[in-house]
Amino acid sequence: MHVERTFTVARPIEEVFAYLGDFTHTEQWDPGTVTTTRTGGDGGLGTTYANTSEFMGRRVELTYETITYEQPTRVQFRGKNKSATATDSLSFSPAPGGGTAIHYRADFDFGLLGNLVVPLVIRRKLDKVADETIEQMRRALA
């Protein structure tokens, strides 16, 4: 299951990458994030983070790792816990007329049984959260 959105902000690609490539900023742009703390690494490839998020009234702890870090065009973070894996992928390109085009995709894996049942329960909520995430990213990068 995944959600994805493409949108444009008026900031240069280098600034956008620097901001969104630091996963600790999720506290500012991800409406579900309660806290994110860097636990290892220098901010680049292989950096790890402890993330606490809230979704549908439940707190979830995930350990994230930066799995792609291609400055200034692409970054990916993979979060895991015992029941789920989430992968956030962000791609950046110069937008026509200035600014930066951002392609955001979040993939979710809830295991074999979860992948059959979970989408039926949370699909609409997930789409709503994706829209809220993009709005918060736009505000944070304004």
Side-chain angles (χ1 to χ4, degrees):
M1 183 167 68
H2 75 277
V3 293
E4 62 186 308
R5 304 286 188 272
T6 301
F7 61 103
T8 301
V9 296
R11 291 275 185 103
I13 192 170
E14 293 81 8
E15 289 180 19
V16 172
F17 183 91
Y19 179 76
L20 293 174
D22 179 349
F23 203 66
T24 61
H25 290 139
T26 56
E27 293 176 14
Q28 298 161 13
W29 61 259
D30 180 2
T33 294
V34 177
T35 62
T36 299
T37 306
R38 185 187 303 173
T39 57
D42 61 5
L45 191 63
T47 298
T48 55
Y49 302 88
N51 173 273
T52 302
S53 292
E54 193 168 293
F55 184 70
M56 296 179 64
R58 292 186 46 197
R59 285 214 172 189
V60 178
E61 305 285 334
L62 291 149
T63 299
Y64 273 87
E65 179 180 1
T66 305
I67 59 171
T68 303
Y69 194 84
E70 299 169 2
Q71 192 171 1
T73 59
R74 189 164 174 250
V75 65
Q76 278 185 304
F77 306 98
R78 182 183 304 131
K80 292 183 177 186
N81 65 19
K82 64 182 178 180
S83 59
T85 300
T87 304
D88 291 299
S89 303
L90 295 139
S91 298
F92 314 106
S93 60
T100 302
I102 301 170
H103 182 82
Y104 170 75
R105 179 176 168 130
D107 290 275
F108 305 93
D109 183 352
F110 301 102
L112 184 59
L113 182 58
N115 286 340
L116 296 174
V117 177
V118 172
L120 301 173
V121 178
I122 67 168
R123 179 81 235 171
R124 285 175 148 190
K125 177 67 176 164
L126 205 53
D127 282 331
K128 183 176 186 246
V129 169
D131 291 338
E132 291 170 359
T133 299
I134 298 316
E135 285 309 310
Q136 283 193 211
M137 273 189 199
R138 281 188 169 131
R139 282 193 297 273
L141 289 163

